[in-house]
Amino acid sequence: MAVLAMRDALNQALREEMKRDESVFLLGEDIGLYDGSFKVTRGLMKEFGEKRVLDTPIAEEIIIGTAIGAAMSGLRPVAEMMTVNFIMVAMDQVVNAAAHIRYMFGGGTKVPLVIRTPGGGGHQLGAQHSHSHENWFAHVPGLKVVAPGTPADAKGMLKSAIRDDNPVMFIENEGTYAIKGEVPDGEHLVPLDKNEVKRPGDDITICAHSRMLIVAMDAATELEKEGISAEVVDMRALRPLDMAPVVESVKKTSRLITVEEGWRSYGVGSEIASRVYEEAFDYLDAPVARIAAAEVPAPYNKRLEKIAFPGKADVIVTAKALLGKN
Amino acid sequence: MKVEQRAADSKSKEALTDKTSLLNLYREMLLIRRFEEKTAEMYQLAKIGGFCHLNIGEEATIVGTISALRRTDYVYSTYREHGHAIAKGIDPKAVMAELFGKETGTSHGRGGSMHLFSEENRFYGGYAIVGEALPIACGSGYAINYKETDEVVMSSFGDGATNIGAFHESLNVAKLWHLPIVFVCVNNLYGMGTAVNRASAVTEIWKKACAYDMTSERVDGMDVLAVRRITDQLVARAREKHEPSLLECVTYRYRGHSMSDPDTYRGKDEIKEWQTRDPILSLGEHMKKQKLLTDEEIERIDEEITSQVEDAVKFAEESPDPDPKDLYRDVYAGEGAA
Ligand SMILES: Cc1ncc(C[n+]2csc(CCOP(=O)(O)OP(=O)(O)O)c2C)c(N)n1
Ligand SMILES: [Mg+2]
């Protein structure tokens, strides 16, 4: 067990899988010679060569398309989209091709492909570099979508994603690459379809994924000081969406908050809330509260940006309100 | 219309002269023609649903290119791909069954006319988004180089697709990464109702490869021997030197864009004129002149092929629909996937 930053945990997963399986290769913009925009792929081109760590032109459709064709032809590509904002120009390849190919060809082929890409705001990068879109992908049958929030899960889920026979959207977050945590050495696999309680509690359930998991954990620590015991459920598996730990938790706490970094409408929280209404309506003592980004294109100004994205204070205020403790 | 050839000597020396080879080309083209005629009939009888795009008129382009490949070579195509699938060796029965939406179809009725597929024949699919398959074809090319094997990829698309970004991104990396790909542009002069000169600043598609310093050729896509001859060269180039190329085949679709196109944007005379250069009749005439074929043989071949197509329809008719309980099958690969 070593303490690693998220980016190094991801790097370790890539290195281990590339060593384990010759058919695994990486492709993306500036992932090789430049070592990656966020240094997740640092040192890998040096170690594995230019064929297995392919620097591509700035051509997103080609990155995803090449990965799909290579996957159908027997390889296991891991494509990096520099940020999730840029995948918009390749959405056809992701949705109409990667997600649908297996089904529309009657199961005649498969697309074992991982697309790694970070979203997230809070760095004054404005409207075209700050958003989170995991719900867009989680809407699509044929894709798997995961968004880990700890270094250990990042390593374990990336290794599982590379071994999976389906296209997996592996959503990272620019705000978490430097976050540190204990990471098991060597063979550490985390399933792609299991959510889990990251912090047990009795009074209220907070579910969150990716960077918002960290926000939720911090909020729970603060709430504890005020005598509120919050249970935090990590929603790292978004599609397929594992609801079991949320439903179980709500049956205990009767109150639920969802936290996400993307916009609220049609968001991850909307889906979780619907499913809780379907599966545990009678257990709820209050409507599900959704915390999400303000519905504006991310502003540049620091103060505006700060209020546009959810933070610890939002979670605390909402939790107290739900418990009638404001 | 006279198509100016790029390959200066492409008519002077034919790749194939022996009777068996020529007969194979002839039979293959006729099979596609009769298959497509029957498909139109079945569509009108509502046996086939959805969109349905025919290859009638384009047989020389299809057969001339795909016959130059091995079974293990990859072919990517578009929604106008019944002929490509058959030319790549897929049983017409499985193609017709797919058009009928049956479980015995190439894609078990999940794909339909626009999404034929066969791993066994390395027919890597019909794609219904214009230009989408070119980047994916590059991926097969990359895999070939990666595994150091000697297959070739053929990526076939329309003239309309050459105006979309994916075309340019694909040519760029194919050249940059030395991918063993032959890009085949089936220039049938229209993208739906829009003529090439109303959609493309450059109407001779082969020229677009110049931007990528890529070998490219233009050929009369109604002349199967010319198409085959130039394709042989480009395939060899891809296989041996890992050099990609763009081949523009100038051809014509006799029917509308799809079965639901009333065809109001072009003159009847234009269609008639192209029909005088029919690829199947032309090869038949050529072979008769060479004393390789007689009218009686032509008639016999037609009967054989017509009954092969009848068999395909019978097979499709008698095949079962997919079982409703299998609606969710193959959304995901692997066990426990949901
Ligand atoms: C991206 C995209 N835009 C529009 C369409 C609708 N559409 C289908 S086929 C077609 C014409 C394509 O023409 P061309 O590439 O020349 O191929 P052809 O049909 O002539 O074989 C259009 C506009 C589509 N399928 N995909
Ligand atoms: Mg066209």
Side-chain angles (χ1 to χ4, degrees):
Chain A
M1 198 83 97
V3 174
L4 294 180
M6 183 84 99
R7 63 162 54 85
D8 298 321
L10 292 164
N11 182 276
Q12 194 173 81
L14 293 171
R15 176 177 283 108
E16 286 177 11
E17 291 307 297
M18 289 179 80
K19 276 195 182 145
R20 195 185 63 83
D21 182 352
E22 281 277 325
S23 67
V24 177
F25 79 103
L26 317 183
L27 71 168
E29 294 158 15
D30 278 314
I31 63 166
L33 205 55
Y34 188 86
D35 273 338
S37 296
F38 298 98
K39 307 301 169 203
V40 171
T41 52
R42 180 162 32 206
L44 297 177
M45 182 186 263
K46 215 175 234 167
E47 187 172 342
F48 294 99
E50 293 188 21
K51 185 174 92 176
R52 298 191 65 194
V53 181
L54 175 64
D55 272 329
T56 67
I58 307 157
E60 280 71 17
E61 263 190 279
I62 269 295
I63 297 171
I64 308 286
T66 300
I68 293 168
M72 290 165 73
S73 309
L75 302 184
R76 288 192 174 269
V78 182
E80 176 175 303
M81 284 282 111
M82 196 178 273
T83 84
V84 75
N85 310 280
F86 312 143
I87 209 170
M88 301 297 154
V89 298
M91 281 303 265
D92 171 54
Q93 293 291 341
V94 177
V95 178
N96 285 319
H100 298 345
I101 277 175
R102 180 173 172 80
Y103 191 86
M104 78 187 190
F105 294 153
T109 186
K110 60 185 182 185
V111 186
L113 151 69
V114 180
I115 301 174
R116 293 184 35 248
T117 185
H123 308 276
Q124 282 196 280
L125 296 176
Q128 296 187 330
H129 279 73
S130 300
H131 294 300
S132 297
H133 297 297
E134 39 273 29
N135 58 328
W136 293 27
F137 306 108
H139 185 62
V140 181
L143 296 178
K144 291 188 177 183
V145 184
V146 298
T150 70
D153 284 352
K155 173 177 173 180
M157 292 185 104
L158 183 52
K159 285 169 73 83
S160 297
I162 292 170
R163 297 181 196 188
D164 198 275
D165 277 341
N166 296 284
V168 180
M169 290 300 306
F170 191 93
I171 310 287
E172 300 168 10
N173 190 294
E174 293 172 37
T176 66
Y177 282 128
I179 296 279
K180 290 193 172 167
E182 291 208 326
V183 178
D185 301 323
E187 189 76 352
H188 166 60
L189 297 173
V190 174
L192 302 177
D193 58 356
K194 287 278 173 292
N195 287 323
E196 68 174 19
V197 172
K198 278 287 194 304
R199 176 193 169 108
D202 299 314
D203 300 333
I204 189 162
T205 304
I206 306 173
C207 50
H209 62 276
S210 193
R211 187 169 76 83
M212 288 300 121
L213 175 68
I214 297 160
V215 168
M217 293 293 277
D218 288 349
T221 306
E222 297 272 313
L223 287 167
E224 185 80 69
K225 291 177 197 158
E226 303 189 34
I228 296 170
S229 163
E231 178 148 295
V232 178
V233 183
D234 181 359
M235 301 305 287
R236 63 195 182 182
L238 293 170
R239 188 180 187 104
L241 178 62
D242 177 23
M243 281 300 292
V246 186
V247 169
E248 204 172 308
S249 180
V250 165
K251 285 182 179 174
K252 179 170 65 176
T253 65
S254 304
R255 287 175 175 81
L256 174 64
I257 299 175
T258 66
V259 196
E260 69 198 290
E261 200 170 334
W263 296 301
R264 186 213 302 262
S265 301
Y266 306 94
V268 172
S270 313
E271 181 64 27
I272 293 171
S274 296
R275 298 220 196 174
V276 167
Y277 292 139
E278 286 160 2
E279 294 173 43
F281 185 76
D282 292 339
Y283 293 86
L284 285 170
D285 284 345
V288 174
R290 289 175 290 157
I291 298 177
E295 303 220 4
V296 296
Y300 165 72
N301 174 275
K302 212 174 178 125
R303 277 172 71 185
L304 290 181
E305 186 187 48
K306 199 162 166 50
I307 55 172
F309 288 104
K312 188 170 67 175
D314 300 304
V315 180
I316 292 168
V317 169
T318 307
K320 286 185 185 168
L322 269 192
L323 287 160
K325 293 195 174 174
N326 267 348
Chain B
M1 180 192 156
K2 165 128 177 49
V3 176
E4 204 154 311
Q5 314 256 344
R6 277 270 301 149
D9 59 353
S10 65
K11 280 257 174 159
S12 63
K13 201 167 73 193
E14 303 303 355
L16 300 173
T17 48
D18 65 289
K19 176 167 178 170
T20 318
S21 306
L22 296 185
L23 214 49
N24 283 342
L25 298 178
Y26 185 85
R27 296 183 68 101
E28 201 69 20
M29 289 198 292
L30 191 65
L31 175 58
I32 294 171
R33 173 72 54 93
R34 296 287 176 256
F35 184 94
E36 293 289 63
E37 287 166 350
K38 185 56 84 177
T39 295
E41 205 182 307
M42 292 298 117
Y43 191 88
Q44 269 140 5
L45 292 173
K47 299 280 184 187
I48 298 169
F51 284 147
C52 187
H53 314 81
L54 303 178
N55 286 128
I56 296 176
E58 300 175 350
E59 295 89 349
T61 292
I62 295 166
V63 173
T65 51
I66 294 178
S67 67
L69 300 176
R70 302 174 182 167
R71 186 192 60 81
T72 49
D73 291 334
Y74 297 80
V75 169
Y76 283 86
S77 188
T78 67
Y79 45 85
R80 193 185 302 287
E81 93 286 32
H82 311 159
H84 298 81
I86 290 168
K88 194 62 177 49
I90 302 181
D91 189 335
K93 286 181 177 160
V95 177
M96 192 59 87
E98 188 59 34
L99 305 192
F100 276 55
K102 298 298 181 76
E103 183 63 41
T104 52
T106 66
S107 309
H108 303 296
R110 302 321 193 267
S113 162
M114 304 194 283
H115 303 305
L116 304 173
F117 184 87
S118 165
E119 179 68 56
E120 190 190 335
N121 296 90
R122 289 265 166 95
F123 181 76
Y124 259 38
Y127 297 78
I129 306 295
V130 169
E132 179 184 73
L134 283 81
I136 304 174
C138 289
S140 285
Y142 195 77
I144 291 165
N145 287 359
Y146 193 96
K147 295 189 261 187
E148 295 175 13
T149 52
D150 73 344
E151 297 95 1
V152 163
V153 182
M154 181 173 285
S155 174
S156 172
F157 47 84
D159 45 283
T162 68
N163 302 314
I164 211 164
F167 168 84
H168 296 274
E169 293 189 18
S170 300
L171 262 64
N172 182 51
V173 297
K175 178 71 186 186
L176 186 70
W177 296 338
H178 302 282
L179 303 181
I181 302 188
V182 180
F183 293 103
V184 175
C185 177
V186 182
N187 182 359
N188 58 15
L189 311 187
Y190 293 88
M192 290 186 64
T194 306
V196 174
N197 65 347
R198 296 178 61 229
S200 183
V202 173
T203 53
E204 293 184 33
I205 306 294
W206 68 273
K207 288 181 179 169
K208 297 190 183 189
C210 300
Y212 306 99
D213 196 18
M214 182 185 288
T215 300
S216 69
E217 299 290 350
R218 177 180 234 233
V219 70
D220 179 356
M222 304 303 269
D223 179 345
V224 69
L225 297 178
V227 174
R228 172 60 187 268
R229 196 178 114 68
I230 193 73
T231 308
D232 276 338
Q233 292 169 17
L234 299 177
V235 167
R237 205 182 164 80
R239 205 183 304 283
E240 286 148 28
K241 298 191 189 140
H242 286 240
E243 278 302 321
S245 55
L246 171 65
L247 174 61
E248 175 189 4
C249 302
V250 185
T251 179
Y252 201 77
R253 58 167 162 73
Y254 295 175
R255 304 290 182 98
H257 166 71
S258 71
M259 286 300 296
S260 48
D261 170 14
D263 212 343
T264 52
Y265 46 84
R266 54 182 193 179
K268 295 275 170 292
D269 291 349
E270 183 182 295
I271 303 174
K272 282 214 186 85
E273 197 195 322
W274 276 91
Q275 284 172 333
T276 63
R277 306 180 46 234
D278 187 78
I280 300 169
L281 293 178
S282 304
L283 181 62
E285 286 307 313
H286 172 80
M287 289 177 73
K288 280 199 308 197
K289 260 190 222 142
Q290 310 274 316
K291 305 256 182 284
L292 298 173
L293 199 61
T294 62
D295 284 324
E296 295 74 60
E297 279 176 292
I298 287 178
E299 212 164 291
R300 192 175 45 73
I301 291 169
D302 207 339
E303 276 165 22
E304 267 173 46
I305 284 174
T306 303
S307 92
Q308 190 186 354
V309 171
E310 289 295 348
D311 288 347
V313 169
K314 188 163 180 290
F315 175 79
E317 288 268 24
E318 289 170 359
S319 290
D321 274 328
D323 189 329
K325 80 170 168 28
D326 290 333
L327 174 65
Y328 290 96
R329 192 184 72 202
D330 296 321
V331 176
Y332 291 96
E335 262 187 309

